[in-house]
Amino acid sequence: MQDTPPSVPDFTQWPSFPFEGDLRVKQLDDPVPVEPPRRGEGNRECTACNAPDEAYIWVGERWRVRAMDRPTGLPMVLILESRSHLDLGDLPNLLAAELGVMTVRLERAIRSLDGVARVHVNRWGDGSAHLHMWFLARPYGRLQLRGTFLSLWDSILPPIAESQWRENLALVAAWLAEFGGRPLAEPPRIQWQAPSSLSSPSPERVTAEEEESVSVIEAAEEIPEPESDPAASTELEREQAAAGKEQAGKEQAGKEPAGKEPAG
């Protein structure tokens, strides 16, 4: 970074800055006389007001928490929204006090996840007029991700596993539900597969396993034992009968007729 022009700010040399190489500052546009309306302002529809509860991981009487539509590079990225169509400075005293409680509560819930060191809380509000607070989890031990560039690193890092992401969502939702509200995020189903066997499974069993995977507990308690058919002999009984007939034949062949001298 020694070749970086002096006009570039000093933060480009910070260890947390996610880019390197030749950098150039953009030309600053002229200010506009009137800013365009945000979502939820003027004639623009509000995305948050139109979203159903099912789009969130936890919902309460006055607050809702939603996640991204897919995993990202950080262990957890969540957004806290008010149900009422209000911006930060428009909150009445009751909601303003609850915002503090919800902020602390959600920070603790995210920080309780494995591998999370810190939780960054951000509010920009330039895209939507509906209050929304961002919560970004910094992975433990990733010192290069400390500070103001964490949101940039979230888009740079490879996404975490979806199973881990869904489990984290369910844990946060359950934590919040301990204080009220309704959790809507569920952990991923356990994908249980029976151990391999030399014998081919019956068509009925293959169909049942394809329809739905079950856990070991469910398999032990819910799957009935097959009923035995009294008219049909088992494979072991058939093998024993065949072995008995073979042995009897050998013994009969080894016997000489009675009263006959052996050849000598």
Side-chain angles (χ1 to χ4, degrees), residues 55 66-72 77 162 165-166 169:
R66 64 183 174 95
M68 304 296 97
D69 58 352
R70 62 179 63 89
T72 58
V77 177
E162 183 171 356
W165 177 66
R166 292 190 178 278
L169 292 178

Side-chain angles (χ1 to χ4, degrees), residues 188-197 205-206 208-223:
R189 290 184 59 85
I190 299 175
Q191 297 297 324
W192 176 78
Q193 186 176 1
S196 59
S197 174
R205 181 176 178 182
V206 172
E209 289 180 351
E210 288 179 350
E211 288 179 353
E212 182 177 7
S213 299
V214 296
S215 68
V216 177
I217 297 177
E218 290 172 339
E221 294 180 351
E222 301 296 339
I223 300 178

Side-chain angles (χ1 to χ4, degrees), residues 172-237:
V172 171
W175 178 291
L176 295 176
E178 290 291 327
F179 302 93
R182 182 162 53 101
L184 298 176
E186 296 181 354
R189 290 184 59 85
I190 299 175
Q191 297 297 324
W192 176 78
Q193 186 176 1
S196 59
S197 174
L198 296 177
S199 60
S200 300
S202 63
E204 294 81 8
R205 181 176 178 182
V206 172
T207 302
E209 289 180 351
E210 288 179 350
E211 288 179 353
E212 182 177 7
S213 299
V214 296
S215 68
V216 177
I217 297 177
E218 290 172 339
E221 294 180 351
E222 301 296 339
I223 300 178
E225 293 292 334
E227 296 181 0
S228 59
D229 186 356
S233 61
T234 63
E235 183 179 356
L236 179 59
E237 291 172 341

Side-chain angles (χ1 to χ4, degrees), residues 38 74 79 90 104 114 144 183 206 235 249 252:
R38 300 173 293 173
L74 299 180
I79 301 175
D90 303 326
V104 173
D114 290 339
Q144 194 173 356
V206 172
E235 183 179 356
Q252 184 65 28

Side-chain angles (χ1 to χ4, degrees), residues 251-264:
E251 293 177 355
Q252 184 65 28
K255 293 182 179 177
E256 294 291 339
K260 182 176 181 181
E261 293 289 337

Side-chain angles (χ1 to χ4, degrees), residues 141-180:
R142 294 288 188 178
L143 301 184
Q144 194 173 356
L145 274 59
R146 292 180 298 178
T148 56
F149 304 117
L150 185 63
S151 59
L152 299 180
W153 281 108
D154 182 45
S155 301
I156 297 171
L157 298 172
I160 66 173
E162 183 171 356
S163 59
Q164 184 62 57
W165 177 66
R166 292 190 178 278
E167 182 177 348
N168 288 345
L169 292 178
L171 290 173
V172 171
W175 178 291
L176 295 176
E178 290 291 327
F179 302 93

